[in-house]
Amino acid sequence: MASFKKIARRTFLIGSAAIVGGVAFGAYKYTRPLENPLEAGPNEAALNPFIFIDQEGVTIITPRAEMGQGVHTTLAALAAEELDVAWEDVRVLHGPPAKAYYNSALMGAVLPVPEYSKSALMQTMSEAIGEVNKLLGMQMTGGSTSMMDGYDRLRRAGATARETLKLAAADAFNISAHSLKTMNGRVYTPDGNSISYSDLAAAAAKIDPPQVELRPQSEWKYIGKTMPRVDMLGKATGTAEFGVDVRVEGMKYATVRMNPRLGAPMESMDASAAEAMTGVEKVIALEDGYAVIASNTWLAFQAADAVEADWADAPYPAEQSEIIQAIEESFAGKANSTLRDDGDVETTIEGADVIEAEYRMPFLAHSTMEPMNATAHFTGDALEVWCGNQAPTLMRDQCAVAVGLEPEQVTLHTTLMGGGFGRRSETDFGVIAAKVAKEMPNVPVKVTWTREEDMRHDMFRPAAIGRYTGAVKDGKAVLLDGRVAGPSVTASAMKRLMDFSAAGADKVHVEGAFDQPYQIPNYRIQGFLTPMNIPLGFWRSVGNSVNGFMHDSFLDELAHAAKADPLEFRLDMMRDEHAPSAAVLEAVRDMSGWTGKTEDGIGRGVAFAHSFGTPVAMVIEVVDEDSTIRINKAWIAADLGTILDPGNLEAQLYGGMIYGLSAAVYGEITFADGAVEQGNFPDYDALRIHNAPTTEVKVLASGGHIGGAGEPGTPPSMSALTNAIFDLTGERARTLPLMNTFDLLI
């Protein structure tokens, strides 16, 4: 088991124990049930924050946002499993902003220790820290935590609602509740009489919910099966409502232009040409740009182009070369973190071969298919907002501040999202819509960003440089010393979203490197932070997306230096460290028919990453077609602990891989004169059907803790591809994206 002897006591206290102290101090608060935000009328019942019953049937309220990952389906299945409602009768709505929908698992991951090696004490501490969110009321979809957080809560919500309905039925039939059964939304007596949940709603609302036991896995009907997606019919028929689809009577349309030098103000503007255009209602000056309100969105776009503005200079190095130089210079400073330090990496190992490598990762955009947008209606004493978002309480509260209202004066409707990937955990697009609506009171205004504005004003995945030194002897790794430099996404996002300055070791900066399940006798990972004011945000798999590539790529280089099979090389270091991780490597070996040898014109690469509680192993095959490299096949194996919906898990792992491969091949955000150079998909492309691999996915279940699904498929994808390209060409890819170096099928 890995040791972490050099995590300084002060660092650990700053990073975690202070939060635990908050839990202890507020224990009486966080154990108290939170207020149910749902209101019920006559003949209705809000039995808890997740179960609402009216005369139309049962509605399951999900606390997490649906952005294509199937979360509404699986969360609904958890509740329906215990509630005994027929799947075809299930209705699902996203919950309103409310503390009752806090995400405990999100904050529970802050401890600076590897997820795979958490002791029972550390797991208990994580759960305790997670309960801090009960005090903060942080309602957020992110960190691949929806199922970790919802697994017990949604089942318990369904079970307590079921037993409450049985108590109401027992009063109605004047018999013992223990003799009653439930099925398909009805309560049945032993003699076959029944009554619907709807008819019991009013009576059940008056009963305090009892303590319940959850059903064992052997009795599950829905959980563990691939369930029909509750969002699919609306999406297939075009009736699903995304933020960009919102229509409100009397609505006007707007767009926004902001300083291309991110975070800098607008110094002046001349809007006369735009204001003279027929159908333009108003041009509004904002702190860092302007908005145009018009009779339709296209006109707003055209009018925005007609405005002339003077922009202030960027608060960060203006040129790409200067930005990269600043990251390089960080290595000369003091390490922010040393979260893994086994053995002694300064030692000289006699007879060992030493290998050195440097890796470079670019800034990345989220590039959601649906650009940022929000609709807002300000009436003076109230604000109503419609948008897809990952953080309803944050969105509501910051919109309230923007227009001078209290949070309870804001009504937020969370729609479906055409992609999130972390971008919609931000609040900027909602806040801008609120500010624009305030300038046109009593008129609903939809603010839609252009694709270019969306891409150039993202909160980016940070760039990074990794410098690795290693040594191999007798076919094994005996030393690995990794140093990672780059700006901190945690510091940037936390300051922006919560006005909170992070202190102590930055776990996210080195995740995907310090927390991997390998036994290497001399093993150190250090992080060096680069102060920089480029706005950074949580990108799918966050720090793991950076370090998963660099760390695993270096392991592959060590394997080849040791003249070892790359898969067996990893497996040998893993077997005694973490059995579930070893099992996924063995599974992907068997699935792919891995032999360590490939024919001419074919290359195969293996990669592994443990992230968000889930070990994922991947093999990718590339082929040479007339000197063009095509990604041909892929195999993915992952252990989710407990399988809740196998079909959805497979889709998430595949989607995570495609997202990572797209970044590896095309993804790059660069700066010139302080502005982002890329603006649309021709500049920032993604894999399409013709160049995506045929893929096989296997989901394992070792039992115990539920791992994440939405993000863990991304980190190993990039190095699996570059390792395959090395096998094909003999050339190492240490800098992404690959389109700058290799001739790939695009």
Side-chain angles (χ1 to χ4, degrees):
M1 192 65 65
S3 64
F4 305 94
K5 63 187 181 185
K6 293 187 181 178
I7 299 177
R9 181 176 180 274
R10 178 177 176 273
T11 297
F12 187 82
L13 286 173
I14 292 173
S16 58
I19 300 175
V20 177
V23 173
F25 181 77
Y28 72 97
K29 292 181 181 178
Y30 81 74
T31 56
R32 182 187 303 164
L34 294 174
E35 181 180 356
N36 188 342
L38 307 179
E39 295 183 5
N43 299 317
E44 298 176 344
L47 298 182
N48 53 58
F50 308 99
I51 307 297
F52 184 86
I53 302 173
D54 59 15
Q55 294 308 296
E56 299 298 319
V58 175
T59 299
I60 296 172
I61 308 297
T62 61
R64 305 292 165 251
E66 179 62 70
M67 45 190 162
Q69 81 279 39
V71 67
H72 281 186
T73 300
T74 307
L75 288 174
L78 294 172
E81 186 70 74
E82 295 284 350
L83 186 55
D84 285 336
V85 291
W87 187 253
E88 58 269 21
D89 295 333
V90 165
R91 298 180 298 170
V92 180
L93 289 176
H94 188 284
K99 285 189 175 183
Y101 302 124
Y102 72 99
N103 187 337
S104 63
L106 192 63
M107 186 167 284
V110 302
L111 284 179
V113 296
E115 290 290 323
Y116 80 87
S117 64
K118 273 186 178 177
S119 64
L121 173 61
M122 285 293 182
Q123 187 60 43
T124 299
M125 288 180 66
S126 287
E127 292 170 2
I129 292 170
E131 289 300 318
V132 172
N133 251 351
K134 195 170 187 178
L135 294 175
L136 299 176
M138 180 68 72
Q139 179 186 0
M140 183 174 285
T141 305
S144 296
T145 56
S146 292
M147 295 309 125
M148 301 178 202
D149 176 70
Y151 180 58
D152 281 330
R153 293 173 72 190
L154 269 296
R155 288 190 299 149
R156 198 163 298 281
T160 55
R162 180 194 71 229
E163 294 304 310
T164 303
L165 290 160
K166 286 169 67 176
L167 290 173
D171 290 341
F173 289 118
N174 196 27
I175 59 176
S176 168
H178 295 292
S179 66
L180 300 174
K181 303 293 183 184
T182 52
M183 184 174 61
N184 293 339
R186 302 185 71 87
V187 181
Y188 288 83
T189 66
D191 59 7
N193 287 331
S194 69
I195 185 171
S196 72
Y197 289 175
S198 294
D199 290 338
L200 292 167
K206 301 174 184 177
I207 299 173
D208 290 334
Q211 295 294 317
V212 296
E213 292 293 328
L214 299 178
R215 287 173 174 165
Q217 187 171 346
S218 59
E219 296 180 13
W220 288 352
K221 297 182 301 179
Y222 300 145
I223 307 174
K225 295 182 174 60
T226 299
M227 301 301 296
R229 289 276 294 263
V230 298
D231 55 331
M232 200 53 65
L233 178 61
K235 290 176 177 177
T237 59
T239 58
E241 186 178 62
F242 294 81
V244 77
D245 298 320
V246 170
R247 297 292 184 272
V248 181
E249 186 176 355
M251 185 168 73
K252 298 296 182 181
Y253 301 83
T255 194
V256 65
R257 292 286 190 276
M258 292 169 283
N259 191 333
R261 298 163 189 137
L262 309 175
M266 179 177 69
E267 296 184 331
S268 65
M269 73 171 178
D270 179 357
S272 56
E275 291 169 336
M277 297 170 69
T278 302
V280 171
E281 302 272 347
K282 199 170 188 178
V283 179
I284 301 165
L286 302 169
E287 296 92 336
D288 58 350
Y290 56 88
V292 177
I293 304 175
S295 56
N296 62 72
T297 299
W298 180 247
L299 176 58
F301 286 178
Q302 299 304 301
D305 288 340
V307 176
E308 295 182 1
D310 292 323
W311 308 111
D313 292 337
Y316 47 83
E319 302 301 327
Q320 183 72 14
S321 60
E322 296 170 340
I323 292 170
I324 299 305
Q325 182 181 350
I327 296 175
E328 291 175 335
E329 291 171 353
S330 302
F331 286 112
K334 183 180 179 182
N336 163 265
S337 65
T338 307
L339 293 185
R340 187 160 198 158
D341 195 357
D342 300 346
D344 182 4
V345 298
E346 305 295 340
T347 187
T348 299
I349 301 171
E350 186 176 348
D353 294 325
V354 176
I355 301 93
E356 295 183 338
E358 179 178 281
Y359 305 93
R360 296 186 174 227
M361 300 291 280
F363 291 98
L364 293 177
H366 294 83
S367 64
T368 62
M369 189 58 66
E370 177 193 17
M372 297 302 106
N373 66 87
T375 300
H377 185 196
F378 179 78
T379 61
D381 57 0
L383 174 70
E384 196 165 4
V385 179
W386 295 261
C387 65
N389 69 92
Q390 295 176 237
T393 49
L394 272 179
M395 181 66 78
R396 177 202 61 192
D397 294 354
Q398 294 197 7
C399 285
V401 170
V403 297
L405 296 177
E406 296 299 321
E408 54 268 24
Q409 294 174 280
V410 177
T411 301
L412 174 66
H413 307 277
T414 297
T415 66
L416 295 173
M417 299 176 224
F421 315 122
R423 176 62 179 95
R424 284 185 162 95
S425 62
E426 302 288 340
T427 63
D428 55 329
F429 52 95
V431 167
I432 287 173
K435 290 179 178 179
V436 171
K438 186 179 181 183
E439 296 299 316
M440 190 168 276
N442 301 309
V443 177
V445 182
K446 174 195 286 293
V447 181
T448 304
W449 296 24
T450 63
R451 173 66 61 195
E452 289 77 12
E453 199 71 13
D454 179 284
M455 188 164 288
R456 290 173 178 152
H457 291 85
D458 202 340
M459 279 68 174
F460 302 101
R461 200 282 307 269
I465 298 173
R467 292 177 177 171
Y468 277 79
T469 300
V472 294
K473 183 178 181 181
D474 299 327
K476 298 182 181 298
V478 292
L479 184 148
L480 189 154
D481 185 17
R483 298 185 298 148
V484 182
S488 168
V489 62
T490 303
S492 178
M494 294 302 288
K495 183 65 176 176
R496 181 173 61 251
L497 293 174
M498 303 184 69
D499 195 25
F500 174 76
S501 296
D506 192 322
K507 175 184 177 182
V508 172
H509 185 66
V510 291
E511 66 182 0
F514 88 92
D515 49 2
Q516 299 306 292
Y518 294 109
Q519 285 186 348
I520 300 174
N522 305 288
Y523 193 175
R524 182 175 70 182
I525 300 292
Q526 292 182 301
F528 298 80
L529 298 185
T530 306
M532 192 172 293
N533 288 326
I534 293 175
L536 307 174
F538 299 115
W539 191 90
R540 193 173 190 171
S541 78
V542 204
N544 295 284
S545 71
V546 172
N547 296 301
F549 169 73
M550 298 193 296
H551 185 270
D552 185 82
S553 293
F554 190 65
L555 284 176
D556 208 70
E557 296 206 39
L558 291 178
H560 283 277
K563 297 181 172 51
D565 178 294
L567 192 150
E568 294 299 328
F569 182 79
R570 291 168 173 82
L571 196 53
D572 286 344
M573 296 185 289
M574 188 183 289
R575 280 197 178 95
D576 296 332
E577 184 73 8
H578 191 234
S581 293
V584 299
L585 259 178
E586 291 169 338
V588 85
R589 176 194 62 194
D590 298 341
M591 292 162 62
S592 64
W594 178 276
T595 63
K597 299 181 180 169
T598 51
E599 300 175 8
D600 289 344
I602 296 174
R604 282 190 170 190
V606 64
F608 171 89
H610 191 293
S611 62
F612 305 96
T614 300
V616 179
M618 196 175 294
V619 169
I620 286 181
E621 179 181 279
V622 297
V623 295
D624 184 331
E625 294 183 344
D626 298 324
S627 299
T628 296
I629 299 171
R630 178 170 64 86
I631 307 172
N632 186 41
K633 295 179 181 178
W635 295 266
I636 308 170
D639 189 332
L640 278 296
T642 300
I643 296 175
L644 302 183
D645 186 317
N648 197 49
L649 293 177
E650 290 175 12
Q652 282 297 285
L653 290 163
Y654 175 77
M657 177 191 72
I658 293 296
Y659 199 70
L661 292 179
S662 296
V665 174
Y666 305 105
E668 181 180 35
I669 291 294
T670 56
F671 292 81
D673 192 24
V676 172
E677 295 184 288
Q678 294 72 23
N680 210 319
F681 288 123
D683 310 320
Y684 194 97
D685 212 341
L687 291 190
R688 313 299 176 92
I689 291 175
H690 75 278
N691 58 4
T694 302
T695 304
E696 180 184 347
V697 182
K698 184 172 184 177
V699 181
L700 287 70
S702 59
H705 186 66
I706 292 177
E711 297 170 274
T714 299
S717 63
M718 304 180 198
S719 55
L721 175 57
T722 56
N723 294 339
I725 290 174
F726 174 76
D727 186 46
L728 176 68
T729 67
E731 185 176 350
R732 277 285 171 198
R734 292 174 176 159
T735 299
L736 298 183
L738 298 170
M739 66 176 184
N740 295 335
T741 310
F742 294 90
D743 186 3
L744 293 109
L745 177 66
I746 58 175

